[in-house]
Amino acid sequence: MSTTAIADHALLSDRHSAALVSRAGSVDWLCFPRFDSPSVFGRLLDDAAGHLEVAPTVADAATTSRRYVDETLVLETTWATPDGTLVVTDALATGPSTDPHALGSAAPRLLVRAAECTAGDVEVGIEYVPRPEYGLIEPLLEVVPGGVVARGGGDVLVLSCPVPLTVADGRATGVLRLHAGERVLLGLAHRSTSEAFPAPWGAAELDTALSDTVEAWRTWSRAHQSYQGPWSELVHHSGRVLQGLTYQPTGAVVAAATTSLPEGVGGERNWDYRYTWVRDACFTLEALWVAACPDEAHQFFDYLAVSAAASVRGRDADLQIMFGIGGEHDLTERTLDHLAGWRDSRPVRVGNGAWNQRQIDVYGELLGSAHRLFDQLNPDHPGAGAWREFLVACADTAAQRWHETDQGIWEVRGEPRHFLYSKLMCWVALDRAIALAEPLHAAGKVEGWRAAAGEIREAILTQGWSDTAKSFTQSFGSLDLDASNLMMPIVGFLPADDPRMLATIDAVADRLTDERGLVFRYRTEGGVDGLAGEEGTFLLCTFWLARALAEADQLDRARAVFDRAATYVNDVGLLAEEVDESTGELLGNFPQAFSHIGLVNAAWAISEAEKRVASGAPR
């Protein structure tokens, strides 16, 4: 099993696939050619599932530091050894890009690793252990001029390496000594067995691929990132992470780059997050509106209108809550029993059984995102008619189904309930649809939408509030708290200084937090989610608390909560989903879009509240 801390990894992305690189210089996770493809390196989930390591042979005696090259997701790892300094620069090549809206469109399916000795001399070890299909396959390795070719299953991997490697026991290894000023480049190219596979890349080609990737990321960053508020460096970096989690061909956003990193060590809460949740993607686009100006919003709505509308057309069905990044509908879940899991956390899952759940909150996230991003949705675009029709249908469905039960935002696998957040987001769907009625060509529907929105408001205020709990609660008639209710002032349902809202904010801060002040999404006791065991605190929910406090003009508290959550970014600015209550370790899939979304939006809300308070403007 793998025991390397989740936080010890850094993300590489070409906007088609993702890799995780450990502080030890090992590529422990890599899926080619898509985010959701089977891994070719899966050491993250099992030591026997493959890796590619480039590091000093005396790494245990070295001091290690890491950073991303400015304005990029190109990683630099520096080892200061007793005899010299080694810098390894890693990237998933994006291909050249002069168009800032086409980052990754020419990605060559290539991992580049450049090792340079900058002082003294360093002995460097190389260990290449490809294991396609989540470690099921030990491929045939063949030494060729300039590298090693691995073939097995449907994958062909071509490792370019300038030094001879020894092949034995399904791995290729080698050692080289670099002196100050010397630099070598390695590359790993992927092809399927149905494609002609390339010869190993030369040093000049790999160097060009690396420099093109740096420049492509910088071109994107400089064209998009203009946020100037507090924590701007964190916000801009989170914007790049969210862009790195976006599948370039369709605009789909994966919830995270990994599968089955657990929400509790040794537990069963291990899910595959390499898919597009409608909710997460909409939140991501809204966060990019702050962090990176999402000019590509239309691409996402085109993808969603085709994917989602096709799932309900001609039959009385709910909107599917999630899709494959290419628009696939069937995400049937299965377990990989041959993998031990991270720190023996089983089962390891691929696919996600939540794909056919009912979650009626998604209509609100869709209409909310469309409302925020409407200036980016060109009404003259060829696909405009499709997304107009789709958004109107979403509002109609929210009006019809808001009073039904569902599994809620947290995708509980227990009995469906009348979750307050789901009702709230149906209200948001109608409220935003009313505001967009004219450009949606739906003025005739406003009266019916307004009546339904009024019914939802009345139900939430009368059935969602508990005098006993002194808070809005998780579901109608319950006494349980839920951090998602912090969204009520954020979406404009109630002002944040409404006494009921202030009481709810305080209830979450006082009774739904751990000793560090980090927020749980809900309490798992009582089996509401149908799963055994516990989970960590949720970073998104902690950022929601900061955002709600900012909406209430409690700026000192808001800043304190934000800083508390932001301390959990790792050394290269990445967040997982949760924090272990007992150890403070990052838990869950990594890096997690939800957490970076929360960071971006909370920073922006605090910035806006500070401007409002300073100017004396009304809320």
Side-chain angles (χ1 to χ4, degrees):
M1 67 178 181
S2 173
T3 59
T4 302
I6 291 169
D8 276 359
H9 293 92
L11 170 74
L12 308 178
S13 171
D14 60 5
R15 301 194 66 226
H16 293 256
S17 53
L20 294 186
V21 185
S22 74
R23 287 176 61 86
S26 175
V27 180
D28 286 349
W29 184 252
L30 174 59
C31 297
F32 271 140
R34 301 190 345 170
F35 291 106
D36 57 354
S37 297
S39 64
V40 296
F41 300 137
R43 189 189 225 175
L44 184 69
L45 297 175
D46 193 301
D47 283 340
H51 63 277
L52 172 59
E53 186 169 309
V54 177
T57 57
V58 293
D60 290 346
T63 300
T64 308
S65 61
R66 303 186 296 180
R67 74 177 191 103
Y68 281 110
V69 175
D70 292 345
E71 301 178 298
T72 77
L73 287 185
V74 175
L75 179 70
E76 274 187 3
T77 304
T78 300
W79 288 270
T81 77
D83 297 319
T85 302
L86 178 72
V87 179
V88 173
T89 304
D90 291 318
L92 276 174
T94 62
S97 177
T98 56
D99 180 354
H101 309 311
L103 175 65
S105 61
R109 279 183 279 164
L110 175 70
L111 169 70
V112 181
R113 311 200 72 184
E116 180 177 9
C117 179
T118 59
D121 61 88
V122 181
E123 186 178 76
V124 181
I126 300 168
E127 186 172 54
Y128 172 50
V129 188
R131 293 292 184 269
E133 295 191 34
Y134 301 112
L136 277 175
I137 293 175
E138 182 178 314
L140 301 172
L141 300 185
E142 178 186 1
V143 176
V144 299
V148 176
V149 175
R151 282 179 284 189
D155 297 288
V156 177
L157 299 167
V158 180
L159 177 68
S160 306
C161 183
V163 298
L165 298 177
T166 300
V167 171
D169 301 324
R171 64 187 62 215
T173 58
V175 176
L176 68 152
R177 181 167 291 277
L178 295 177
H179 303 283
E182 292 182 335
R183 178 171 179 259
V184 298
L185 291 102
L186 289 80
L188 182 72
H190 174 271
R191 295 293 183 270
S192 71
T193 52
S194 62
E195 300 174 284
F197 57 88
W201 294 52
E205 294 174 293
L206 291 171
D207 196 34
T208 297
L210 182 58
S211 60
D212 282 348
T213 301
V214 170
E215 187 55 33
W217 274 106
R218 285 178 169 168
T219 298
W220 180 86
S221 295
R222 291 167 185 172
H224 289 82
Q225 301 196 301
S226 58
Y227 172 79
Q228 299 297 322
W231 306 287
S232 59
E233 186 174 340
L234 279 175
V235 169
H236 289 161
H237 183 57
S238 290
R240 286 188 289 274
V241 171
L242 294 173
Q243 187 74 355
L245 294 174
T246 303
Y247 184 55
Q248 194 279 333
T250 63
V253 183
V254 295
T258 58
T259 180
S260 297
L261 293 180
E263 297 172 11
V265 177
E268 67 169 329
R269 299 167 185 266
N270 318 318
W271 316 112
D272 192 346
Y273 275 11
R274 298 170 301 153
Y275 304 110
T276 291
W277 274 255
V278 174
R279 173 193 309 114
D280 296 30
C282 291
F283 285 164
T284 297
L285 287 177
E286 293 195 50
L288 286 173
W289 182 80
V290 175
C293 302
D295 296 296
E296 297 84 0
H298 209 118
Q299 182 187 25
F300 169 72
F301 275 93
D302 286 348
Y303 153 82
L304 199 60
V306 172
S307 300
S311 71
V312 299
R313 186 174 298 277
R315 55 194 178 96
D316 184 25
D318 292 307
L319 172 67
Q320 189 164 316
I321 65 164
M322 59 187 294
F323 302 93
I325 55 176
E328 298 85 0
H329 287 235
D330 186 349
L331 307 179
T332 299
E333 185 174 290
R334 61 189 175 94
T335 61
L336 302 180
D337 295 330
H338 66 285
L339 295 178
W342 183 81
R343 295 192 185 171
D344 206 24
S345 300
R346 300 188 187 193
V348 172
R349 294 180 170 96
V350 294
N352 196 298
W355 72 274
N356 56 6
Q357 280 191 355
R358 159 174 278 196
Q359 294 175 26
I360 60 175
D361 62 289
V362 294
Y363 305 109
E365 281 108 16
L366 274 165
L367 268 299
S369 182
H371 182 261
R372 170 66 64 84
L373 298 166
F374 208 79
D375 287 346
Q376 281 81 27
L377 296 178
N378 176 7
D380 299 321
H381 187 278
W387 58 253
R388 272 198 200 97
E389 180 183 345
F390 172 57
L391 292 173
V392 170
C394 286
D396 285 342
T397 305
Q400 294 163 7
R401 298 188 174 174
W402 70 266
H403 53 80
E404 299 175 6
T405 58
D406 72 341
Q407 258 68 36
I409 180 177
W410 306 127
E411 299 176 357
V412 302
R413 299 202 176 191
E415 290 298 314
R417 299 188 181 191
H418 289 284
F419 288 103
L420 186 150
Y421 179 83
S422 296
K423 315 300 184 188
L424 172 69
M425 295 312 291
C426 284
W427 177 88
V428 169
L430 296 166
D431 180 78
R432 301 325 189 248
I434 292 166
L436 294 173
E438 184 175 343
L440 290 179
H441 304 170
K445 291 181 174 285
V446 168
E447 184 177 350
W449 288 345
R450 187 171 285 123
E455 292 173 8
I456 298 172
R457 172 177 286 277
E458 179 65 17
I460 290 174
L461 295 178
T462 57
Q463 300 178 59
W465 170 263
S466 168
D467 288 328
T468 302
K470 295 182 173 56
S471 174
F472 287 104
T473 58
Q474 184 178 64
S475 59
F476 287 1
S478 80
L479 298 177
D480 298 324
L481 299 180
D482 194 306
S484 64
N485 291 342
L486 294 170
M487 289 294 288
M488 296 174 76
I490 294 170
V491 300
F493 182 83
L494 279 178
D497 59 355
D498 181 286
R500 293 162 294 184
M501 204 62 247
L502 290 172
T504 299
I505 292 170
D506 287 340
V508 169
D510 295 341
R511 308 197 318 257
L512 203 59
T513 55
D514 69 357
E515 292 182 356
R516 297 178 178 85
L518 302 177
V519 179
F520 294 98
R521 52 184 181 169
Y522 55 86
R523 297 289 183 181
T524 57
E525 299 89 341
V528 64
D529 57 15
L531 297 167
E534 299 179 352
E535 62 181 21
T537 51
F538 231 66
L539 286 165
L540 170 68
C541 296
T542 308
F543 286 121
W544 276 350
L545 177 57
R547 193 174 173 188
L549 288 166
E551 295 286 341
D553 292 346
Q554 298 185 32
L555 296 179
D556 289 343
R557 288 180 71 191
R559 275 187 163 271
V561 171
F562 183 100
D563 287 335
R564 194 176 303 145
T567 60
Y568 289 91
V569 298
N570 73 352
D571 59 318
V572 288
L574 302 179
L575 290 167
E577 185 175 42
E578 302 183 10
V579 175
D580 188 299
E581 180 183 9
S582 58
T583 67
E585 270 197 294
L586 290 179
L587 290 176
N589 284 305
F590 184 81
Q592 174 74 15
F594 249 177
S595 298
H596 287 278
I597 290 163
L599 184 154
V600 168
N601 286 335
W604 178 77
I606 293 169
S607 175
E608 292 298 294
E610 287 177 340
K611 293 175 188 175
R612 182 177 66 245
V613 170
S615 68
R619 182 179 293 102

